[in-house]
Amino acid sequence: MQAPAETPSCYRHPKRETYVRCVRCDRYSCPDCLRDAAVGQQCVECVREGNRGLRQARSVFGGRVGATSWVSYTVIGLCVLAYLGELAAPGVVDRLDALGTGLRSPDGHYFVDGGHVPPGWTQVGIAHGEWYRLLTSAFLHQPPGGGFGVLHIALNMWWVWTLGRQTEQMLGWVRYAALYLLSALGGSVLVFLVAPTTPALGASGAVFGLAASYWVFSRRLGHDMRAANQQTLYVLVWLVISAGMTSWQGHLGGFLAGGVTAVAFAYAPKARRALVQAAAGVALFALLLALVVVKTSTLT
């Protein structure tokens, strides 16, 4: 008498009976281990193996396309957390803003550097080794009761939410992060060069860089320039209006740095796009640091 045939089971779940096979590897697979394919169904391992050979989608400027604007959300989150830190410990602003050179008294108060250092006082600022201020200042904003108050961070984060996310989708995560940080750095460097005793802060420099880059990218892609021109006009008008109220140096520095970076990213030749973009970013970074070194030598 012939023995009954053994019932086939899933290759990943031996206790599950199944009569369905993967169209690619011909192994028996249960419904939990099958995925719909163009023809029939494939097991999860064949699907994973097939995806490895697919080229990941790239943006028009060479960056990896992502459905979520993680860098923009991270910037907003860091700025909000920093603002809460300012409210809890107001002294954070004096320690992390873009002060070029100043004095800290023995009791912890900050003053403009007048060239003479009283006994027990300390020279502080970018010119005295606190280079981190060049970037930390871009994540701080004016606390309530000072300048624009809460409106300062609200407006900047609104621009990052609207303009930043669009730019990030054009560039991809890495290139957008480089553009944002170079714009922020450019704003801080111009403040240091022109007004080293001004304790500037805010993401405005990076935001102005985003505005410049959006105009460059829109022109490069052949978009209708009416919206981009109108937005750029608003930015330039605000640059003039804000000259007497906030750090116009930071705004102009960010605008110039963002524009230069955007031109390099947008018009890099396709054959050597990544190399040219990286070289341009490194060159601008080196130039900004060289300007800081030269200015530091004159102040110290």
Side-chain angles (χ1 to χ4, degrees), residues 57-112:
R58 294 275 178 176
S59 70
V60 67
F61 300 121
R64 292 184 179 182
V65 176
T68 306
S69 302
W70 288 116
V71 178
S72 296
Y73 295 149
T74 300
V75 167
I76 294 174
L78 290 176
C79 287
V80 171
L81 287 175
Y83 200 71
L84 295 176
E86 294 175 33
L87 298 179
V92 170
V93 174
D94 289 332
R95 293 181 177 273
L96 300 179
D97 60 20
L99 177 66
T101 179
L103 297 173
R104 184 173 66 237
S105 65
D107 58 0
H109 291 85
Y110 287 74
F111 300 90
V112 174

Side-chain angles (χ1 to χ4, degrees), residues 253-267:
F255 187 84
L256 295 176
V260 170
T261 305
V263 169
F265 284 1
Y267 292 94

Side-chain angles (χ1 to χ4, degrees), residues 246-276:
T246 59
S247 175
W248 64 267
Q249 301 93 339
H251 296 174
L252 180 59
F255 187 84
L256 295 176
V260 170
T261 305
V263 169
F265 284 1
Y267 292 94
K270 188 175 182 179
R272 299 183 300 276
R273 175 182 290 157
L275 178 61
V276 172

Side-chain angles (χ1 to χ4, degrees), residues 182-296:
L182 285 172
S183 299
L185 182 61
S188 297
V189 169
L190 191 58
V191 173
F192 180 57
L193 295 177
V194 179
T197 58
T198 300
L201 74 169
S204 302
V207 166
F208 272 73
L210 293 180
S213 66
Y214 185 76
W215 187 90
V216 172
F217 295 146
S218 296
R219 186 174 182 83
R220 178 68 176 86
L221 296 174
H223 292 169
D224 186 351
M225 294 300 296
R226 286 177 294 182
N229 289 337
Q230 186 178 32
Q231 174 183 275
T232 304
L233 179 61
Y234 290 155
V235 169
L236 294 177
V237 169
W238 176 244
L239 180 63
V240 176
I241 295 176
S242 64
M245 297 182 291
T246 59
S247 175
W248 64 267
Q249 301 93 339
H251 296 174
L252 180 59
F255 187 84
L256 295 176
V260 170
T261 305
V263 169
F265 284 1
Y267 292 94
K270 188 175 182 179
R272 299 183 300 276
R273 175 182 290 157
L275 178 61
V276 172
Q277 291 173 339
V282 171
L284 178 58
F285 180 72
L287 174 62
L288 293 174
L289 292 187
L291 292 173
V292 173
V293 171
V294 173
K295 183 64 176 180
T296 298

